Amino acid sequence: MYGVCGCCGALRPRYKRLVDNIFPEDPEDGLVKTNMEKLTFYALSAPEKLDRIGAYLSERLIRDVGRHRYGYVCIAMEALDQLLMACHCQSINLFVESFLKMVAKLLESEKPNLQILGTNSFVKFANIEEDTPSYHRSYDFFVSRFSEMCHSSHEDLEIKTKIRMSGIKGLQGVVRKTVNDELQANIWDPQHMDKIVPSLLFNLQHVEEAESASKAGSLGTLALAFCQPSVPLKVCIPEGKAAMVLGSLGRSPSPLQAPEKEKENPAELAERCLRELLGRAAFGNIKNAIKPVLIHLDNHSLWEPKVFAIRCFKIIMYSIQPQHSHLVIQQLLSHLDANSRSAATVRAGIVEVLSEAAVIAATGSVGPTVLEMFNTLLRQLRLSIDYALTGSYDGAISLGTKIIKEHEERMFQEAVIKTIGSFASTLPTYQRSEVILFIMSKVPLPSLHHPMETGRTGENRNRLTQIMLLKSLLQVSTGFQSNNMMSALPSNFLDRLLSTALMEDAEIRLFVLEILISFIDRHGNRHKFSTISTLSDISVLKLKVDKCSRQDTIFMKKHSQQLYRHIYLSCKEETNIRKHYEALYGLLALISIELANEEVVVDLIRLVLAVQDVAQVNEENLPVYNRCALYALGAAYLNLISQLTTVPAFCQHIHEVIETRKKEAPYMLPEDVFVERPRLTHNLDGVVIELLFRQSKISEVLGGSGYNADRLCVPYIPQLTDEDRLSKRKSIGETISLQVEVESRNSPEKEERVPAEEITYETLKKAIVDSVAVEEQERERRRQVVEKFQKAPFEEIAAHCGARASLLQSKLNQIFEITIRPPPSPSGTITAAYGQPQNHSIPVYEMKFPDLCVY
């Protein structure tokens, strides 16, 4: 029956007749438009026939492909495209299956033009919004085939470019068709992302120098490419009508868009597709989209040039939603940990990419990854130090071990430090403070109970760690702005920082001084004190000076002596060089500008005069350069502070001494000392008093201007670290020492009372004058108490405390017996021994009260 119907056209089903009528006898004539309109009307009138129409068109297309009748292939695809655009009924799904089967057939062909034709039809289909969902449709083949087309290596450059661009467009169509439909195949699965993302990156990486060829070039050449020698001439498409027959081969929507399309190349198209893909990524899909990028950069060794890797992640960071930025940062951190044993150049590339990504992420939302990022970077920094010292990733050099280049590890360490600084500069103040405390907590401090380890180069591992972490801390502190020094330099941070300021290593001491300068400088005055000089007029510096706030005054009352002590001891270091003295001068100057009140000015002058005494007495046996540098440092600072205080007599004294030094001892001034070739003397013994700043003269002239002259007269004596920490840390030793102090003052053994002294004017004057000396004696006594409880044996301390505790308990019992009277006993009195009556105290709950008292 079917065979008879096939032979007689009038007996064939109507949809087949309508389909056959759209094909002309000669493919040169193209699609028969009137018959195509009839077929479209029939499909809209009888949507149940749409699936059969699609199946029949598919059958004809497969047959024509097999017979190399490419003109009819183009006509069939054009008809399919028009039917897809016109029909949106419920039966469209069955028609789509036939359509996708035909597209797949074209993509499987080895002919580039058929591949491009199938891709263009698929892109049109991808832009159609379907009314009904599809539960069983799969795009696995299209993802694989389009990804393969993206990696085309055709010999002809023009054809290769077209195939790659078609593959990118096909992937873009797959993404658009599936990304927003939960019922479609999940395009975010790793099996799909591992093909799509590397294909886009491959084209993004290989930028063709030549311009993209014109869209059709010569459509006649494109049509003639279909012809084979074995194919009859009548199936070949002449040049004249090739444009009409192959109209679906990249026909632009508008002639105005043609120039833009011609300029487009695979790299630009791949970038646009990648941005669209990442812009559609939800929170849970970011990881699957980023992981293929990292793998691609690893497989193609693209971390070392770094340019392409940075470009990729800039595209990623600017394409994803801002709230997803921290997920990308986490992926990079995890990848850095995974490559901890890779070459230093690879790790440096990852770190620099991380730096660029983190700066972009900080403008949005970094989330909880701030400390995680710094922790990972500091861990990598510590591992790099170990690699540089041991020379291998396994800690020991053996046969087959990869030898590490130390200079590459240094480059990696500098990249990590740069990344820490660049990211920290984008953080708000409160997060920056947390990062500063976090980094400082990682700095290893010297301990007598933990010997320092050494590496094969003789450098100390802990020393290198300290230097790298302090470099990182310096990067973070640069540009740090805080209105409250109490929050900028809390006690626990300042204690740890200053404990490293007195190490023997000169480089570490210099870093500590620079870090302190970064914290204290809040008005950008730091660079104005980069060189030490004795300017006759400091107004040329244009210093920005504000009045010391109440918070800064509290900070200086709490920590000033600690700062003075470390400055004083730093000046006495024999290994100091020019940079150290410049940093010390800058620190003194910034304290005078940022944190100074009258009391601080007096203490700083006392400190500098004490430094002058160090150079004069020379108990430390300092070299001549160090002594001259201390003299010059004192001259420069006193010249600055005298002009800041604007006391004429003070300025005159400082100016006279400086002028005398210029004439008789220029080696005691910074202009001759802090230069490339210092001009020094061979003998500094017996310096005449005219060359020195006299403490008596300074206290006299400042006392007349309202400053504390009595305090100025007392030489500066540095305090010990234990004293500094006593008022900041609550401990058992502090508690015991305070108990001993109270007991020593108020011991009950001292029964004799000193008669009250008559209070007169002379008594008050004497008390004021002696207050400074008494304060120094009190500090010394408290220091001895602390040393006793820190260095004495445990048995001695326990016995001492036990005796004091028993004595205290006995005295308390005496007080209780005196102050607490026993209540009258209803049972009367009893007679004690020797016939003396004694009140017998009965507890309240055992007393018997009269009935009237019961309620």
Side-chain angles (χ1 to χ4, degrees), residues 735-778:
T735 306
I736 295 174
S737 64
L738 291 177
Q739 289 178 355
V740 174
E741 181 180 351
V742 172
E743 291 169 2
S744 63
R745 287 184 177 181
N746 304 318
S747 175
E749 297 176 357
K750 299 180 180 180
E751 297 179 357
E752 299 181 3
R753 294 183 176 272
V754 179
E757 183 178 0
E758 183 180 0
I759 300 177
T760 60
Y761 173 78
E762 295 296 328
T763 305
L764 292 175
K765 183 178 178 181
K766 183 179 179 181
I768 293 174
V769 172
D770 296 340
S771 60
V772 178
V774 172
E775 183 180 356
E776 297 292 342
Q777 294 176 1
E778 181 69 14

Side-chain angles (χ1 to χ4, degrees), residues 281-292:
F283 182 85
N285 303 324
I286 292 293
K287 181 178 180 181
N288 291 339
I290 300 302
K291 187 176 180 181

Side-chain angles (χ1 to χ4, degrees), residues 150 333 402 843:
C150 290
L333 292 174
K402 185 178 180 181

Side-chain angles (χ1 to χ4, degrees), residues 442-497:
K442 299 292 183 180
V443 178
L445 298 179
S447 174
L448 296 176
H449 305 287
H450 299 86
M452 300 298 214
E453 300 178 0
T454 56
R456 65 177 176 87
T457 59
E459 294 179 316
N460 189 281
R461 177 178 283 102
N462 288 326
R463 173 186 173 274
L464 289 177
T465 305
Q466 291 165 355
I467 291 175
M468 292 302 168
L469 291 179
L470 289 175
K471 277 186 178 180
S472 305
L473 193 60
L474 180 59
Q475 287 284 338
V476 176
S477 62
T478 301
F480 182 76
Q481 296 290 335
S482 177
N483 296 328
N484 188 355
M485 291 301 298
M486 294 292 292
S487 60
L489 293 172
S491 299
N492 55 348
F493 171 78
L494 192 61
D495 289 343
R496 291 183 63 89
L497 181 64

Side-chain angles (χ1 to χ4, degrees), residues 522-523 525 543-549 592-596:
R522 293 175 292 185
H523 295 87
N525 293 318
L543 300 175
K544 298 178 182 179
V545 183
D546 283 344
K547 185 178 179 181
C548 184
S549 64
S592 305
I593 293 175
E594 299 282 351
L595 306 173

